[in-house]
């Protein structure tokens, strides 16, 4: 099927064309430059920029694919969860296109779309598997039996992993988004230099990152902002604590659920230390791990189109009644 996907749940305005499970064209308009000076996403600025960009990204993705709007078999759009103003722009654009073109439209769950990204590169990755979704807004472990068959096993009780990285990066005076700048600063740092807590030990499958973030904030307040090697050590030690939590709970969940495959998705899945440590620890446990390529970890519309294609092929059409839902549950 020829499917156009639109993503606008947070600070990326993106469109992509997927044809029979393969990516044919995509455009991501990042808002990093707009939000950088605030050290985080400003919802009102995000939605206003989506309005400015959405038509252009759709045109660019279509042009790259060599298809025209009339050639499409259907459309997909992120319906939630996310920032309501941002979501509404994508949903409105997709509904308008679907209605004027008389094509079916599917509203997809943003996190399920993240989990689908890998299928553009590894179409035969088998079900069931464990999904670890780590982004700026979410940190969840899910059991995935198939498309539309996802069961939540555990989640963060407070901050998301990416949010903790972003906040501590801000306190350290590093660039935005924080995950990437912490990773870069951590290179050449000693991950064992400082001792940060590993929250929620024990058997529960939930995460908690706010205590870890607070312990970093308290240390910075007490000792001042580090520079040079001390800064690299701080970043490496903090990143290590976040990664250790993710690795430990993911492998625990795989054991508890009896799953031999793990799929990692979301912006933080781009983290090189997470890739390295989870890959090695999983191999020791006999568990296979896949990550999407770095370009498909962050928000994009290829994952939206790829997931929508599966629903459209099953005959689903959400039609003009589709609405954005900021708190859309699994
Ligand atoms: O999935 P995503 O693009 O947007 C959301 O749905 O939230 O994830 C964004 C998050 C941000 O917190 C960002 O700091 C983090 O992903 N991130 C990273 C890396 N690249 C992006 N975190 C750690 N290491 C990275 N290389
Ligand atoms: Zn996301």
């Amino acid at each position: 099927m020829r499917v156009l996907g639109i993503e606008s749940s947070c600070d990326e305005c993106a469109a992509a064309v997927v044809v029979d499970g393969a990516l044919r064209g995509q455009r991501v308009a990042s808002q990093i430059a707009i939000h950088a000076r605030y050290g985080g996403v400003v919802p009102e600025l995000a939605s206003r920029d989506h309005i400015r960009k959405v038509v252009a990204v759709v045109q660019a993705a279509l042009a790259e694919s060599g298809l025209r709007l009339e050639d499409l078999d259907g459309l997909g759009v992120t319906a939630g969860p996310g920032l309501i103003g941002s979501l509404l722009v994508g949903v409105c654009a997709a509904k308008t296109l679907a209605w004027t073109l008389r094509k079916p439209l599917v509203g997809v769950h943003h996190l399920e779309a993240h989990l689908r990204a890998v299928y553009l590169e590894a179409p035969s990755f088998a079900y069931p598997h464990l999904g670890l979704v780590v982004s700026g807004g979410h940190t969840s472990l899910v059991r995935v039996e198939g498309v539309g068959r996802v069961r939540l096993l555990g989640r963060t009780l407070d901050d998301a992993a990416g949010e903790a990285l972003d906040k501590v990066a801000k306190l350290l005076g590093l660039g935005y988004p924080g995950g990437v700048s912490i990773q870069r600063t951590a290179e050449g740092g000693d991950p064992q230099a400082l001792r940060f807590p590993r929250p929620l030990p024990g058997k529960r499958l939930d995460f908690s990152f706010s205590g870890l973030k607070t312990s970093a904030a308290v240390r910075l307040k007490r000792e001042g902002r580090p520079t040079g090697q001390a800064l690299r050590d701080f970043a490496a030690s903090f990143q290590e604590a976040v990664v250790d939590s993710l690795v430990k709970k993911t492998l625990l969940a795989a054991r508890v659920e009896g799953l031999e495959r793990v799929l990692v998705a979301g912006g933080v899945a781009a983290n090189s230390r997470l890739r390295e440590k989870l890959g090695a620890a999983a191999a020791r446990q006999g568990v296979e791990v896949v990550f999407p390529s770095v370009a498909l970890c962050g928000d994009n519309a290829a994952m939206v189109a790829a997931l929508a294609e599966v629903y459209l092929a099953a005959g689903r059409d959400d039609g003009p009644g589709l609405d954005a839902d900021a708190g859309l549950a699994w």
Side-chain angles (χ1 to χ4, degrees), residues 30-119:
S30 166
Q31 299 180 355
I32 286 178
I34 294 173
H35 304 291
R37 66 179 158 134
Y38 305 101
V41 177
V42 183
E44 182 63 24
L45 297 182
S47 47
R48 283 173 194 230
D49 200 58
H50 286 309
I51 292 171
R52 278 191 288 270
K53 302 282 169 58
V54 69
V55 172
V57 295
V58 166
Q59 285 171 334
L62 275 169
E64 194 178 301
S65 74
L67 297 178
R68 296 161 307 161
L69 282 171
E70 309 83 76
D71 301 326
L72 296 171
D73 297 307
L75 294 92
V77 63
T78 299
L83 302 171
I84 191 63
S86 291
L87 287 165
L88 279 168
V89 178
V91 168
C92 219
K95 284 206 291 193
T96 307
L97 282 171
W99 189 73
T100 50
L101 295 164
R102 307 268 180 258
K103 310 272 182 188
L105 166 67
V106 168
V108 302
H109 191 287
H110 180 72
L111 303 181
E112 192 182 14
H114 269 300
L115 287 166
R116 195 68 199 172
V118 137
Y119 284 81

Side-chain angles (χ1 to χ4, degrees), residues 274-290:
L274 176 64
R275 288 172 172 255
E276 185 183 308
K277 282 198 99 175
L278 185 55
R284 284 196 295 276
Q285 196 173 303
V287 168
E288 182 191 357
V289 186
V290 292

Side-chain angles (χ1 to χ4, degrees), residues 12-312:
E12 324 280 356
C13 193
V17 176
V18 162
V19 178
D20 299 331
L23 180 59
R24 287 293 184 78
Q26 72 163 331
R27 181 62 56 93
V28 182
S30 166
Q31 299 180 355
I32 286 178
I34 294 173
H35 304 291
R37 66 179 158 134
Y38 305 101
V41 177
V42 183
E44 182 63 24
L45 297 182
S47 47
R48 283 173 194 230
D49 200 58
H50 286 309
I51 292 171
R52 278 191 288 270
K53 302 282 169 58
V54 69
V55 172
V57 295
V58 166
Q59 285 171 334
L62 275 169
E64 194 178 301
S65 74
L67 297 178
R68 296 161 307 161
L69 282 171
E70 309 83 76
D71 301 326
L72 296 171
D73 297 307
L75 294 92
V77 63
T78 299
L83 302 171
I84 191 63
S86 291
L87 287 165
L88 279 168
V89 178
V91 168
C92 219
K95 284 206 291 193
T96 307
L97 282 171
W99 189 73
T100 50
L101 295 164
R102 307 268 180 258
K103 310 272 182 188
L105 166 67
V106 168
V108 302
H109 191 287
H110 180 72
L111 303 181
E112 192 182 14
H114 269 300
L115 287 166
R116 195 68 199 172
V118 137
Y119 284 81
L120 288 159
E121 299 167 331
S124 54
F125 189 66
Y127 295 101
H129 53 250
L130 181 73
L132 168 67
V133 188
V134 260
S135 71
H138 302 270
T139 305
S140 309
L141 282 165
V142 289
R143 184 183 175 99
V144 192
E145 299 284 349
V147 168
R149 294 164 63 209
V150 182
R151 182 161 59 83
L152 184 65
L153 302 171
R155 62 195 305 179
T156 181
L157 302 176
D158 37 61
D159 290 357
E163 193 180 352
L165 289 163
D166 290 343
K167 286 181 180 165
V168 169
K170 192 174 175 183
L171 293 174
L172 286 170
L174 301 174
Y176 167 84
V180 192
S181 56
I182 289 218
Q183 178 185 310
R184 285 204 196 110
T185 311
E187 284 161 18
D190 174 5
Q192 308 303 332
L194 303 172
R195 187 73 208 144
F196 285 111
R198 271 45 174 180
L200 290 189
K203 294 273 173 235
R204 58 188 298 183
L205 296 179
D206 294 316
F207 301 96
S208 167
F209 294 103
S210 86
L212 175 59
K213 179 193 68 190
T214 305
S215 94
V218 167
R219 191 186 280 264
L220 288 171
K221 199 160 182 202
R222 199 176 55 221
E223 298 167 9
R225 202 184 263 181
T227 54
Q229 187 59 33
L231 175 61
R232 288 191 281 278
D233 288 347
F234 195 108
S237 301
F238 184 77
Q239 174 179 256
E240 199 75 356
V242 173
V243 166
D244 281 352
S245 259
L246 294 171
V247 170
K248 192 162 153 263
K249 297 290 177 175
T250 301
L251 292 181
L252 174 63
R255 260 199 313 278
V256 170
E257 289 289 309
L259 294 168
E260 289 162 358
R261 288 174 294 272
V262 176
L263 196 167
V264 191
V268 183
N271 186 265
S272 53
R273 189 69 178 153
L274 176 64
R275 288 172 172 255
E276 185 183 308
K277 282 198 99 175
L278 185 55
R284 284 196 295 276
Q285 196 173 303
V287 168
E288 182 191 357
V289 186
V290 292
F291 290 85
S293 59
V294 169
L296 286 176
C297 286
D299 288 345
N300 65 82
M303 65 188 195
V304 175
L307 178 58
E309 185 181 10
V310 182
Y311 285 117
L312 289 163

